[in-house]
Amino acid sequence: MRELEGDHQGQGLRIAVVAARFNQFITGLLLEGVRNGLSTHGVREEDTVLLRVPGAFELPLVAKTLAGSGRYDAVVCLGAVIRGETTHYDLVSGQAASGITSASLETQVPVIFGVLTTENIDQAINRAGGKMGNIGYDAALSAIEMANLMRQVRDLEP
Ligand code: INI
């Protein structure tokens, strides 16, 4: 059976990043992880763009517009929704997740879910460069891998 997999070579890829300002002390750390993941895998600074939105709820609109523009190979969404901090945690995190999924499916461009949804601040810190790694870095690698896989998917013979 033929097997296809995206690699982590980012040379020539154009990547857009959308970052929520809400809980910026966490999303700023996620952004550092994304920058690190992209640059260490060959994505050039001039092939990237960063857009900031108020909160995770606003990520899908900007992500979908970028993905549908035809200018980017992948879009990375960054946010931090912390249950202890909000009564509408489920609403914000659920809408962010379903909106990001729709943005990707409707444009056929990878839109990566780099949104932390945690019970408390400590869990968020642990996943934003702490003992559990940095999901921003992981999101950057997912963006590169998916962009490269989708190129192969589009090139498949009928
Ligand atoms: N936005 C977040 O990104 N994380 C949160 O934890 C959060 N809380 O706690 O409410 C949050 N709310 C703001 C929301 O994303 C929108 O910006 C706001 O509702 C305006 O549409």
Side-chain angles (χ1 to χ4, degrees), residues 20-23 27 53-59 78-89 92-93 96 115-116:
R21 275 196 306 272
F22 204 102
N23 289 326
T27 61
V53 295
F57 192 81
E58 283 74 34
L59 290 168
L78 299 178
V81 193
I82 302 173
R83 188 186 288 278
E85 299 297 297
T86 177
T87 50
H88 58 292
Y89 168 95
V92 173
S93 56
V115 179
L116 276 174

Side-chain angles (χ1 to χ4, degrees), residues 31-58:
L31 186 55
E32 279 178 29
V34 170
R35 289 187 199 281
N36 183 17
L38 294 179
S39 66
T40 56
H41 290 81
V43 178
R44 294 180 308 178
E45 170 77 22
E46 59 266 37
D47 290 333
T48 65
V49 66
L50 168 66
L51 294 97
R52 295 189 190 270
V53 295
F57 192 81
E58 283 74 34

